Amino acid sequence: MGNYLELIALVWFLVCWLGYTEYSKRKANDRPCLSNTLDLYREDWMRVMLKRDNRISDASVVGNLERNGAFFASSCLLILAGIITALGYTQEVMEVFSTMPFGTLPSREIWEMRMLVLMVIFIYAFFKFTWSMRMYNFVAVLIGSAPLTTDTKASPASREAFAKSAGNVCNMAGDAFNLGLRSYYYALAVVSWFIHPVVFMGASTLTVIVLYRREFRSDALLALRSGKTFEDPAPRQETDKETTN
């Protein structure tokens, strides 16, 4: 029965993670959220960038965003190194854990499965953060190649197309970073698995609630929406969003 409970907890965790990812992606099509609101701000940023010849500040912002991804990506590597080390000393770690006043000590196989789930999460996060870094690098290149205000060969239509293209790349970079950051939330839920599978299921559910409230009902969203006039709820293109999965 204990092993069945472990598997049920793991399945519920996957349902929470994958289910909320799909739900938030679809909900962003017809409802304001942090993701689609920031998409509009990024696109406006690219339009404003085209109106000035000095783009040092724009390049600086992109550099800061890229460094944020680098910080979390390097953190993922450190965490993965710790998990691999712990897997090499499974018996010793389990003996230390058995002396703690909370949680139940599972079999070695279950323990290693928990560690492997944590490893998979941080591997996924690492790839998302590094992909975000690379796309912010693309944005830096786009800013460098943007037509100047004195360029008479660039028509208004071509400038608008450039702003949309650069904004789209920036949005994909932000989405990849967001998915990587969510992985840290889910990893914290997995840590509760070491206490008890039921606690793990509760933590997985709580993680989804926290993510939903921050994405769709947070004060930050209200502040962002009040700072700009929106003509529509800013639905996102399906092709753009599929790229972030």
Side-chain angles (χ1 to χ4, degrees), residues 3 7 25 27 31 48 63 92 139 154 166-167 190 198 204 229:
N3 288 345
L7 292 175
K25 182 179 73 172
K27 201 69 174 175
R31 178 174 177 176
V48 172
E92 290 83 350
V139 175
V190 174
V198 175
S204 301
T229 301

Side-chain angles (χ1 to χ4, degrees), residues 152-173:
T152 57
K153 295 181 179 180
S155 65
S158 66
R159 289 177 181 275
E160 177 63 19
F162 185 92
K164 286 182 176 294
S165 178
N168 189 31
V169 176
C170 195
N171 289 336
M172 289 189 289

Side-chain angles (χ1 to χ4, degrees), residues 11-134:
V11 170
W12 177 248
F13 169 73
L14 294 175
V15 168
C16 288
W17 187 352
L18 301 178
Y20 178 72
T21 300
E22 183 65 21
Y23 170 83
S24 61
K25 182 179 73 172
R26 292 179 180 275
K27 201 69 174 175
N29 284 325
D30 53 25
R31 178 174 177 176
C33 64
L34 286 177
S35 185
N36 59 29
T37 301
L38 284 172
D39 284 352
L40 293 178
Y41 272 102
R42 293 188 189 103
E43 194 171 301
D44 273 0
W45 171 24
M46 293 299 110
R47 290 193 185 96
V48 172
M49 180 270 298
L50 289 175
K51 296 178 182 179
R52 53 177 172 248
D53 287 332
N54 188 341
R55 290 151 186 177
I56 295 176
S57 59
D58 303 293
S60 177
V61 171
V62 173
N64 287 333
L65 294 171
E66 188 176 353
R67 281 191 291 274
N68 288 337
F71 169 77
F72 282 103
S74 59
S75 298
C76 287
L77 290 178
L78 293 174
I79 294 170
L80 286 170
I83 293 173
I84 293 171
T85 302
L87 281 172
Y89 294 90
T90 299
Q91 191 60 45
E92 290 83 350
V93 173
M94 291 180 66
E95 290 176 0
V96 172
F97 189 84
S98 65
T99 63
M100 294 184 179
F102 59 85
T104 57
L105 193 63
S107 65
R108 183 186 179 96
E109 291 75 16
I110 295 297
W111 181 275
E112 290 178 344
M113 182 179 70
R114 294 173 177 178
M115 298 295 290
L116 288 173
V117 170
L118 265 180
M119 183 183 295
V120 169
I121 291 173
F122 283 108
I123 290 174
Y124 171 83
F126 173 79
F127 278 104
K128 285 299 179 183
F129 285 129
T130 52
W131 184 230
S132 174
M133 290 167 54
R134 189 173 182 187

Side-chain angles (χ1 to χ4, degrees), residues 15-17 20 186 203-213:
V15 168
C16 288
W17 187 352
Y20 178 72
Y186 291 114
S204 301
T205 305
L206 180 61
T207 298
V208 170
I209 294 172
V210 170
L211 289 173
Y212 172 79
R213 288 184 61 84

